[in-house]
Amino acid sequence: MSFFDVTTFGSLFVTLFVIMDPPGTIPIFLALTSGRAHKVRRRMAWQAAAVALGVITAFGLFGRQILDYLHVSVPALQVSGGILLLLIALDLLTGKIEEPTQTKEVNVALVPLGTPLLAGPGAIVAVILAVQAADTGGQELAVWCAIVAMHVVMWLTMRFSLVIITVIKEGGVVLITRLSGLLLSAIAVQLSADGVFGFIAEQG
């Protein structure tokens, strides 16, 4: 048994990357925090990442109990999760994702940035499935390291959003978002297929 499963880490990190879409988050973050001082933007960046990490961690720790309480099997979650991720992928590919509007009643770092923009249904499903699939200590460690690493990336992306968008321009954001949608669609199809085979195995 290896101390750290690199394959599990890479798989979940890539999945979360294409779901949470750091490049696509940049223009939304800038729009929601427009007119704020740089110090306030920096604070909102880590607040949003911290909220998302808290939500994801909660579902990662208690996802199994939630499924058992609702009498939902893992294959059912895989199929539904695959469909959900496919819908997100289609939005990424077609550019039909609506940007949330800024509101003065709530801290935008908490809602909608922290959740549901970062810790959305797709990321939650992916984490629950990854935690359930981790059979060894090395895999479990890799899963949680991937979750933390992804949120560090999200924090750095928002923290340096002005610099990043100056470098890659709007066209770069669109290109990376489309590529992320393509990768996510493949992951969604594979996830659904695994769920179908899981149903067949349970019946057999």
Side-chain angles (χ1 to χ4, degrees):
M1 181 184 70
S2 61
F3 177 71
F4 185 83
D5 194 313
V6 178
T7 302
T8 299
F9 174 87
S11 176
L12 180 57
F13 183 85
V14 171
T15 300
L16 289 177
F17 187 92
V18 298
I19 293 173
M20 300 176 79
D21 188 22
T25 303
I26 293 175
I28 298 177
F29 176 77
L30 292 176
L32 289 173
T33 60
S34 62
R36 311 290 178 93
H38 290 298
K39 182 178 180 180
V40 175
R41 281 184 169 180
R42 289 195 295 267
R43 185 178 71 247
M44 296 179 80
W46 73 257
Q47 284 180 338
V51 169
L53 178 60
V55 173
I56 292 294
T57 298
F59 277 96
L61 292 174
F62 305 109
R64 183 75 230 188
Q65 289 83 349
I66 295 174
L67 292 180
D68 291 340
Y69 179 77
L70 297 175
H71 302 290
V72 176
S73 66
V74 173
L77 185 65
Q78 287 176 312
V79 174
S80 61
I83 296 173
L84 175 63
L85 295 185
L86 183 59
L87 293 175
I88 296 174
L90 292 175
D91 285 339
L92 291 174
L93 287 169
T94 57
K96 292 183 178 179
I97 295 181
E98 296 181 358
E99 296 187 5
T101 56
Q102 187 182 95
T103 58
K104 296 181 179 180
E105 291 77 13
V106 296
N107 183 352
V108 295
L110 309 180
V111 179
L113 276 176
T115 183
L117 184 61
L118 301 185
I124 289 172
V125 169
V127 167
I128 290 178
L129 291 175
V131 171
Q132 298 306 310
D135 298 322
T136 66
Q139 290 178 340
E140 291 180 1
L141 178 62
V143 165
W144 290 108
C145 285
I147 293 171
V148 173
M150 186 63 242
H151 284 81
V152 170
V153 170
M154 290 304 309
W155 168 66
L156 291 174
T157 300
M158 292 183 290
R159 170 69 173 76
F160 298 101
S161 55
L162 285 174
V163 177
I164 294 173
I165 203 168
T166 300
V167 174
I168 66 176
K169 311 294 184 184
E170 290 284 353
V173 172
V174 173
L175 175 61
I176 296 176
T177 299
R178 297 294 186 273
L179 292 176
S180 297
L182 182 61
L183 290 173
L184 186 58
S185 63
I187 293 173
V189 171
Q190 184 63 57
L191 192 59
S192 297
D194 291 342
V196 171
F197 289 129
F199 275 126
I200 295 174
E202 286 183 351
Q203 297 300 320

